Amino acid sequence: MTMKRQAYSSDLSDEEWQRIEPLVGVHTGIERPEKWHRREVLNAMLYSLRTGCQWCLRAHDFPPYGTVLYHFRQWRRVGLWERINGVIREQVCLQAGREASRVQG
């Protein structure tokens, strides 16, 4: 994906996005058509979390904060954050030569 804005240090790299995209691209309980690419929504979340700024005060070239907050809450509701953490944990274990076992919760 080519962004129409200058990248922030908190943005996902292409490699990071490739790992997360299959999880974020699945059905997450959001039924409305998407106006914003999910990578940009996630980049907006990461910007706010990394900088510590309030959702409504983040950089203006991200999707509207209501959209970002809506997706954050929906993804929390359907357990997406736990799935992302599980996949990343598994990949880190494999790269370190350890057995990759997912924690069931």
Side-chain angles (χ1 to χ4, degrees):
M1 177 189 115
T2 304
M3 290 184 277
K4 297 179 184 177
R5 61 169 178 77
Q6 185 172 349
Y8 292 100
S9 62
S10 58
D11 285 351
L12 292 168
S13 68
D14 290 339
E15 181 183 349
E16 291 168 334
W17 176 242
Q18 287 175 354
R19 291 178 180 198
I20 294 174
E21 183 179 22
L23 298 169
V24 185
V26 298
H27 175 71
T28 58
I30 301 168
E31 300 296 334
R32 65 175 84 164
E34 293 184 355
K35 182 177 179 180
W36 296 93
H37 192 281
R38 289 185 185 198
R39 183 175 182 175
E40 277 300 278
V41 171
L42 188 50
N43 280 333
M45 292 176 198
L46 294 173
Y47 177 86
S48 292
L49 294 170
R50 175 111 186 238
T51 63
C53 78
Q54 297 174 357
W55 292 97
C56 61
L57 297 178
R58 64 173 179 31
H60 64 77
D61 49 358
F62 284 119
Y65 87 92
T67 299
V68 175
L69 188 56
Y70 172 80
H71 281 77
F72 179 83
R73 288 177 174 163
Q74 288 296 318
W75 294 353
R76 181 182 60 199
R77 184 180 64 79
V78 299
L80 182 61
W81 297 116
E82 288 81 7
R83 286 197 306 268
I84 290 172
N85 258 344
V87 167
I88 292 171
R89 183 182 328 105
E90 189 174 276
Q91 291 174 356
V92 167
C93 286
L94 290 173
Q95 287 175 349
R98 298 191 315 254
E99 182 179 333
S101 61
R102 290 193 179 180
V103 176
Q104 299 295 322

